[in-house]
Amino acid sequence: MKKKFEIRNFAVLVATSLLLFSCGQSSNKQHSSVDSTKCDSVSHKKVATVTQTKESQTSITPQKALEMLKEGNFRFTSNQVLKRDFKSQVHQTAEGQFPFAFVISCMDSRTSAVHVFDQGIGDIFEVRIAGNFSDDTEILGSMEYATQVAGAKLIVVMGHTHCGAAKGAADNVKLGNLSQLLTKLKPAVDASTNVKGEHNSHNSEYVDAIAHNNVINSIKAIKEKSKVVKELIANGKVLVVGAMYNLETGKVEFLETK
Ligand SMILES: [Zn+2]
């Protein structure tokens, strides 16, 4: 009888350890800045319980904001995304929003920043447009609101591999209003002439180089055309970084910042 009891206790101990380990696994020390979480007893996944507040946003530095996105992408690629109580997050953010980052990315259905950075309601501003162009007045204005007015600490311009807009520019496609949009990629096309092989959409290395150079050009344009952002950068209040999202791996590679 006693032995049976001991075996049962041992089984409970093992099950409890596995449960803790499961949630513990997702808090890999190097990637665990999300501290407002608890463990879900059913899924054994970490649960994001709270949203960004004025206080939490104020405490986040631009560098920390970058780390938070890197950690989110690590969770995304390692299948450890946080379980979120969206109903509670909607309720908590009803009175105001305090996002820590602004991300502009392509409209491609596979490149949602909220997904690839594993973020919740009220965490990041997101602008999406084919080719992720950042130098339009409307987009620069949105960026200025996000940072100067709403307090976001980080601006990310995110391109991606196999981008349809880059392919269109590589083939010099003409189609209605799209032609005008694609002419904005011309400087990136011109900067990619050193890529080996044929210079059309069949050469993925060429297409990805165009997308990459477009991100670099966009960052330059932001710094040149937005006095507001330029000043925030100079004062150390905001960081602007480029990134490339890999459609095959789900990984975001951040470009070197200067
Ligand atoms: Zn694209």
Side-chain angles (χ1 to χ4, degrees):
M1 189 68 183
K2 194 184 171 197
K3 195 161 188 179
K4 206 172 179 182
F5 180 76
E6 278 174 356
I7 289 170
R8 205 175 67 185
N9 269 5
F10 179 71
V12 168
L13 184 69
V14 169
T16 309
S17 304
L18 283 173
L19 182 73
L20 289 171
F21 181 64
S22 185
C23 272
Q25 252 188 340
S26 44
S27 61
N28 177 322
K29 199 164 176 26
Q30 201 184 346
H31 301 279
S32 62
S33 79
V34 181
D35 41 25
S36 53
T37 55
K38 65 178 183 182
C39 185
D40 179 69
S41 59
V42 179
S43 68
H44 306 169
K45 279 190 169 184
K46 292 191 90 184
V47 184
T49 55
V50 297
T51 53
Q52 294 298 334
T53 62
K54 181 75 186 156
E55 290 70 33
S56 67
Q57 187 199 48
T58 304
S59 71
I60 296 169
T61 62
Q63 200 57 44
K64 170 76 177 167
L66 180 59
E67 286 307 311
M68 287 166 73
L69 291 189
K70 286 180 179 176
E71 288 163 4
N73 184 242
F74 176 82
R75 292 193 301 273
F76 177 71
T77 53
S78 55
N79 216 14
Q80 296 179 36
V81 292
L82 300 176
K83 183 178 164 64
R84 289 188 166 81
D85 184 344
F86 285 124
K87 195 176 175 186
S88 167
Q89 290 198 328
V90 167
H91 179 70
Q92 290 179 68
T93 53
E95 298 294 318
Q97 59 169 344
F98 304 96
F100 65 89
F102 171 98
V103 182
I104 176 160
S105 61
C106 186
M107 70 169 186
D108 191 294
S109 63
R110 300 159 291 182
T111 63
S112 159
V114 169
H115 285 148
V116 307
F117 290 123
D118 186 28
Q119 298 301 313
I121 306 287
D123 285 336
I124 61 174
F125 285 105
E126 188 176 21
V127 169
R128 301 183 67 185
I129 183 169
N132 42 273
F133 302 106
S134 314
D135 58 346
D136 280 343
T137 311
E138 294 84 353
I139 293 169
L140 289 173
S142 304
M143 206 176 281
E144 289 168 3
Y145 173 81
T147 49
Q148 176 74 57
V149 182
K153 307 297 178 68
L154 177 70
I155 293 169
V156 180
V157 180
M158 184 168 76
H160 67 99
T161 59
H162 311 305
C163 180
K167 285 179 182 174
D171 291 342
N172 200 21
V173 166
K174 301 289 177 202
L175 174 71
N177 289 299
L178 184 63
S179 308
Q180 175 64 22
L181 188 147
L182 292 180
T183 57
K184 295 191 169 208
L185 271 166
K186 184 77 169 65
V189 171
D190 293 343
S192 308
T193 49
N194 59 342
V195 176
K196 284 179 189 163
E198 47 187 355
H199 285 177
N200 57 40
S201 62
H202 298 296
N203 183 350
S204 59
E205 200 183 321
Y206 179 59
V207 170
D208 292 351
I210 293 172
H212 183 277
N213 284 320
N214 181 45
V215 169
I216 291 170
N217 291 345
S218 295
I219 289 174
K220 253 187 229 165
I222 292 168
K223 291 176 179 173
E224 280 168 17
K225 295 185 177 181
S226 173
K227 277 186 184 174
V228 172
V229 172
K230 203 174 169 183
E231 207 172 304
L232 288 167
I233 296 170
N235 293 334
K237 291 183 176 170
V238 163
L239 189 64
V240 183
V241 294
M244 281 291 286
Y245 175 73
N246 188 312
L247 285 186
E248 274 124 5
T249 62
K251 200 167 176 351
V252 176
E253 184 194 335
F254 285 92
L255 311 183
E256 284 296 313
T257 50
K258 284 180 186 168

